[in-house]
Amino acid sequence: MTIRKKPEEFRSHRWFGVKDLRSFGHRSRTLQMGFSHEEFMGKPVIGIINTWSEVNPCHLHLRNRAEAVKRAVWANGGFPVEIPVMSVSEQYQKPTTMLYRNFLAMETEESIRSHPVDGVVLLGGCDKSTPALVMGACSAGLPFVFVPAGPMLRGNWAGKVLGSGADVWKYWAEKEAGNITEEQWQDMESGIARSYGTCMVMGTAATMMSHAEILGLTLPGASAIPAADAAHPRMAAMAGKRAVEMVFEDLTPNKILTRKSFENALVLHMAMAGSTNAIIHLVAMAGRAGVELSMADFDAYSRKVPVIANIRPSGEYLMEDFFYAGGLPALMKQLESLLHTDAMTISGQPLKATIDRAVVYNEEVIRPLSRPVSTANGLAVLTGNLAPGGCVIKPSAAEARLQKHTGPALAFETYEDMLKAVNDENLDVTPDHIMVLKNAGPVGGPGMPEWGMLPLPRKLLKQGVRDMLRISDARMSGTSYGACILHVAPEAYIKGPLAAVQTGDLISVDVEARSIHLHLSDEEITRRLRAWTPPERDYPRGFGKMYAEHTKQANEGCDFDFLEGTAKVKEPDIH
Ligand code: FES
């Protein structure tokens, strides 16, 4: 360990080390908690930002993991303090956790800055918690290590391996079509989530934890360790040790996060056919690090990187299999020729050091570049008069016949209207229709709910139809699939062209040409938008109001206008 910082240079020295009235209070109150002077004086204080909660099954083990971090911080000469923050629980929190990503990012940043903390360990992993923690910690600017919550074990039901979300949607469609009994459906409930940990397909959680690793913010190999594996608490403990070392080394996030590290994340994203949600999060995280990522960047990488991680929903296997196949270091090894391997990591070494040690144990799960899982791209960014700011589709998870398609719109102003219609067995709809949902974007939601995988009309399900083109300004779960065009920007609620679409209008989509076109003249679109008024919003006050007033659009990362950027916030005065 290269020790450069001296104790009197620690940030926490201003709270504990000086001799004045205020520091008397800080020391006496630490003694009040039962710690002696020797235990905390002159030591780096490691804040453990913990998203543990009993309303988040994905994070149920994080209370124990915090103890593992603490044990290593103590053993390595630091002073650990646990700081609870909002859990952002994907399963329970309504109307959508995206509404709270920026809330947690703010809470993380302010919890770090306002307390006597020198270095940080972040505990989280359920969907929005990874980007939120990273965004906040980046803006706080202190050395930090991210401890991914890790995926849960594989699902198991009636001899079948089940994946979170993806199989729920699949079997729900079968149940709606009358192919699965109520009893079988209930049986599945107890087999699909077998341990604590995050969803175990390449959904948003696994995608974002993997991004945290390739960005250099976790210990090598950390992101795929199953939450219930004994390697997980060992990794958490090592993160505590490393956080102490990083304080001495002054290894701050601005020395790790660069344009190169985000370009590595783009390569990874395409290779693992990552969740579409991650596009928004990566743009926001990059913004906090002073790196600009555009929709064009995403599309450029999607054209040159094939999908090689054979993981559901685009592939066959689950995160547990991915871990046994070598995990993220092995995937990076397959991608080595496309990566900036000199990108720095929190280990103090470049990515190359991890890649050199990596072994691919199963080339069916982690394929070589020469044998991709699919020839379809993991992501495509479409633009046109319907989405001037861009929109996204995951071609690898959509039926090929829908990737070049012209059809009449079946347009809905609200989610409720759409739900009512799809359950109507007499709905005037064919497999060629394109379902359009408006007012589900960042401002209109607000918070851009995961409504983008619009349920297929029951009438078509019974005819055996399993995919249709669907367009919205919403997001969709990373575990979802289908020909869903998402994140249309600008959104309908702020009078983006999507608001002009009416049932019967023709829309053309060409994924190969990256185009989306509404067959109306510019004049007609403008005329309709002038006459259109958005539905009433539900937030006259409170956080939802603040969110709607300050969120940026999907292609800009949905950060708040007053949170984005790298302008330095002054250290708190200690009076
Ligand atoms: Fe937490 Fe999916 S619900 S990761």
Side-chain angles (χ1 to χ4, degrees), residues 128-211:
K128 318 300 178 289
S129 58
T130 300
L133 291 166
V134 169
M135 287 160 70
C138 271
S139 294
L142 299 181
F144 74 84
V145 181
F146 179 70
V147 170
M152 66 176 96
L153 299 175
R154 292 185 199 98
N156 180 45
W157 166 72
K160 291 184 175 57
V161 173
L162 293 184
S164 316
D167 279 318
V168 180
W169 322 128
K170 187 172 110 186
Y171 287 107
W172 176 254
E174 296 306 325
K175 182 175 168 293
E176 286 291 279
N179 302 332
I180 293 256
T181 66
E182 182 62 37
E183 216 173 30
Q184 288 173 309
W185 176 249
Q186 279 177 20
D187 220 23
M188 205 184 294
E189 244 176 46
S190 49
I192 195 157
R194 294 175 46 234
S195 76
Y196 45 76
T198 64
C199 294
M200 74 323 231
V201 296
M202 189 52 77
T204 306
T207 303
M208 292 314 303
M209 292 189 289
S210 304
H211 279 316

Side-chain angles (χ1 to χ4, degrees), residues 7 54 75 109 127 130 141 147 159 196 207 288 316 346 357 373 515:
E54 280 179 348
E109 177 179 351
D127 286 28
T130 300
V147 170
Y196 45 76
T207 303
R288 298 295 188 102
E316 281 175 67
I346 56 107
R357 286 194 298 270
V373 175
S515 69

Side-chain angles (χ1 to χ4, degrees), residues 337-503:
S337 60
L338 300 171
L339 295 174
H340 302 291
T341 57
D342 58 339
M344 184 45 67
T345 73
I346 56 107
S347 64
Q349 295 187 306
L351 271 191
K352 176 100 179 99
T354 303
I355 292 172
D356 285 348
R357 286 194 298 270
V359 180
V360 182
Y361 295 109
N362 185 338
E363 288 214 331
E364 251 328 282
V365 181
I366 304 176
R367 302 267 186 95
L369 283 167
S370 56
R371 198 163 58 83
V373 175
S374 140
T375 49
N377 297 130
L379 176 79
V381 177
L382 316 181
T383 51
N385 69 345
L386 189 51
C391 56
V392 301
I393 182 170
K394 203 168 172 178
S396 58
E399 282 187 12
R401 72 184 169 89
L402 296 168
Q403 299 191 20
K404 185 168 180 172
H405 181 77
T406 296
L410 181 60
F412 302 101
E413 297 292 315
T414 67
Y415 187 72
E416 291 71 27
D417 291 348
M418 182 272 303
L419 270 190
K420 218 184 313 157
V422 294
N423 288 323
D424 177 0
E425 308 247 359
N426 298 316
L427 184 68
D428 185 11
V429 64
T430 68
D432 283 341
H433 268 96
I434 300 178
M435 295 173 72
V436 174
L437 176 66
K438 312 177 193 179
N439 299 313
V443 182
M448 235 183 144
E450 290 188 336
W451 292 339
M453 191 175 87
L454 310 185
L456 300 186
R458 188 174 285 159
K459 176 176 159 184
L460 296 182
L461 282 173
K462 288 196 169 160
Q463 291 169 15
V465 176
R466 290 293 179 271
D467 203 0
M468 265 177 94
L469 258 180
R470 289 157 269 181
I471 301 175
S472 72
D473 45 15
R475 297 174 300 113
M476 77 172 181
S477 162
T479 61
S480 300
Y481 55 87
C484 304
I485 295 176
L486 313 157
H487 309 184
V488 170
E491 62 175 300
Y493 200 88
I494 60 166
K495 297 211 173 189
L498 187 69
V501 180
Q502 294 175 359
T503 293

Side-chain angles (χ1 to χ4, degrees), residues 44-63:
V45 179
I46 304 300
I48 302 167
I49 303 290
N50 197 352
T51 56
W52 172 86
S53 161
E54 280 179 348
V55 286
N56 193 340
C58 308
H59 292 183
L60 206 60
H61 54 311
L62 295 187
R63 189 174 248 181

